[in-house]
Structures are given as structure tokens and as C-alpha cells.
Amino acid sequence: MKNNLNILYEDNHIIVVIKPYNILSQSDNTNDLDMLTILKKYIKEKYNKPGNVYLGLVHRLDRPTSGIMVFAKTSKSASRLSKQIKDDKFTKKYLAVVYGTLSEKEKLLENYIKKTNDNSSIITTKKDGKYAKLYYKVLKEKDNLSILDITLYTGRHHQIRVQFSNIGHPLYGDQRYGKQDKKQLALFAYHLEFYHPITKEKLVFEYMPKEEIFK
């Protein structure tokens, strides 16, 4: 994995990379490979760092989702990036492919989402769930599929997947909330925008997926 890392940007404070499909953002009880471990090893070897390497996880992508992630190389950077997320100063956009043709070609979706004991999420009430908001625009329709551009305003667990399943248009390849067709989930984080935690410069990263399903 080290030699195949797709690094978009790196300095002393942050590293911006493409997380591949089906790689964890951070380790869990499966002990499968994860981005945090991969990048710590990369930094340790590249800079000949002794001992443990610090790397802060400030946001996540679901395991079956690919796309742009930023990691913090210092605790100060991690704290400042986390505050930006809390203050809604991160802009995150995704490309997704959903089943069917949506009657409304642009729409704001607002729901309340609750994480369940089996690591899934469900649409629930304001009393029980956390507020979830996204905006989508249909880019293309083909073969009873729709390609969407999604701006994510809140980062709830499995948010995009559960919100589109809720309106009857589950994501292509979503084996948890959609069809059991064993295809790769068609969800890619293609745009990430935030302010550098030290220089305060606005940074904008875009990377388009190569898979034919998004064409």
C-alpha cells in the first residue's frame, strides 16, 4: 500500500490523500488495514522518525467509500481542523450513483439519523436522532441509474447512504441499505475545502474518480 499512496498534498502540518475503496479510515476490531496505520508507517519511513508517529484523524470515510481525506501531523493542527469541522468551515462534496430516476433533480434533504447497535443508521425523529443535511443535484441519468453531485453539510454515520435509501433511491453497490448485488459502492469524496490550520490559507482539493460507473 505504501508505494501506491495517492498523496495530493503534504507539509509539516497536514497530509491530504485519496483513501482507496474498502480500506478503513482507522483501525477497528477486524484488525484490517487502515489509512491511519498506513500513513503513520509512511511518515515513519520517509522521515526516519524514531518511536511512535503522531497522526490525527479529524474526519472519516466509510470503509466502502473512496476519496479525499486530510490527516493532521501535529496535535495543534488536529485541534484546529476539528474546530473547523465543528464550525462548518469544511466543505465536502461527493459523487454518488443511485438507483432509479429522481423526480426532483435538485433538492435539500433534511432528516434525523440514529446509529443502531449493529453499526447501521436509521431515519428517526428529532427527539431520538441527530440532524442530517445534504444537497444533491442530478448530473446524468443512464440505464435506470442517476449520477449525483452531493454537498454534505453534516457528517452523520452512513448519512448519504441512509438518506438516499430512505427516499427509495439507494446507492449503487450499497449492500447494507440497498440491493445485495455484491457490487462496489459508488460513492466518492471528490472535493475537500478547508483552511490550513497554521497559515490560514484556503485550500481546495478536487480529484475525480476513474471508475466507469461515474462517467
Side-chain angles (χ1 to χ4, degrees):
M1 171 61 69
K2 179 172 75 79
N3 294 330
N4 296 326
L5 276 174
N6 190 345
I7 297 172
L8 303 185
Y9 177 87
E10 181 182 4
D11 62 19
N12 292 332
H13 312 285
I14 60 173
I15 182 167
V16 180
V17 299
I18 301 296
K19 184 187 88 66
Y21 293 105
N22 304 318
I23 299 288
L24 293 163
S25 291
Q26 68 178 139
S27 61
D28 65 6
N29 55 13
T30 64
N31 293 318
D32 291 340
L33 206 57
D34 67 281
M35 288 305 295
L36 206 55
T37 301
I38 292 164
L39 288 170
K40 281 183 178 181
K41 184 180 179 186
Y42 157 78
I43 291 168
K44 187 178 180 69
E45 292 178 358
K46 180 177 179 180
Y47 300 102
N48 295 313
K49 284 184 174 284
N52 292 328
V53 170
Y54 177 86
L55 194 65
L57 180 80
V58 294
H59 67 123
R60 296 171 178 79
L61 290 177
D62 291 348
R63 182 174 186 152
T65 305
S66 181
I68 306 172
M69 291 186 73
V70 57
F71 293 82
K73 293 171 79 173
T74 67
S75 57
K76 179 188 283 187
S77 294
S79 174
R80 290 181 177 178
L81 289 173
S82 295
K83 188 175 188 308
Q84 284 187 50
I85 293 174
K86 187 178 179 182
D87 294 344
D88 296 326
K89 291 181 179 176
F90 257 58
T91 300
K92 295 182 281 186
K93 295 183 180 181
Y94 293 73
L95 286 179
V97 181
V98 301
Y99 286 103
T101 301
L102 287 83
S103 57
E104 295 179 90
K105 305 310 178 188
E106 294 185 46
K107 190 177 182 182
L108 190 68
L109 294 183
E110 296 177 281
N111 298 101
Y112 290 90
I113 290 177
K114 178 182 178 180
K115 187 175 178 181
T116 58
N117 292 332
D118 66 349
N119 201 41
S120 294
S121 284
I122 57 171
I123 301 294
T124 184
T125 62
K126 183 176 181 178
K127 180 181 175 182
D128 292 334
K130 292 182 177 180
Y131 178 64
K133 176 182 174 183
L134 65 78
Y135 175 83
Y136 75 80
K137 181 178 181 180
V138 176
L139 298 179
K140 187 177 180 180
E141 297 169 345
K142 61 174 185 178
D143 305 326
N144 199 37
L145 297 172
S146 298
I147 302 173
L148 311 180
D149 187 318
I150 298 167
T151 300
L152 191 66
Y153 294 107
T154 54
R156 306 307 178 203
H157 184 254
H158 294 173
Q159 179 180 337
I160 294 173
R161 298 162 65 186
V162 75
Q163 282 191 283
F164 280 98
S165 178
N166 181 61
I167 61 170
H169 296 282
L171 267 66
Y172 180 90
D174 194 340
Q175 295 165 39
R176 187 181 291 252
Y177 301 102
K179 300 180 181 180
Q180 305 296 311
D181 54 11
K182 303 298 182 186
K183 298 185 186 301
Q184 175 61 54
L185 180 71
L187 182 60
F188 191 92
Y190 79 91
H191 179 105
L192 186 63
E193 191 175 315
F194 57 93
Y195 295 91
H196 193 283
I198 306 301
T199 68
K200 307 294 193 292
E201 177 190 0
K202 188 173 187 178
L203 300 176
V204 180
F205 298 96
E206 277 203 355
Y207 188 92
M208 304 308 284
K210 305 291 192 289
E211 290 76 20
E212 190 61 33
I213 190 75
F214 294 104
K215 307 301 184 192

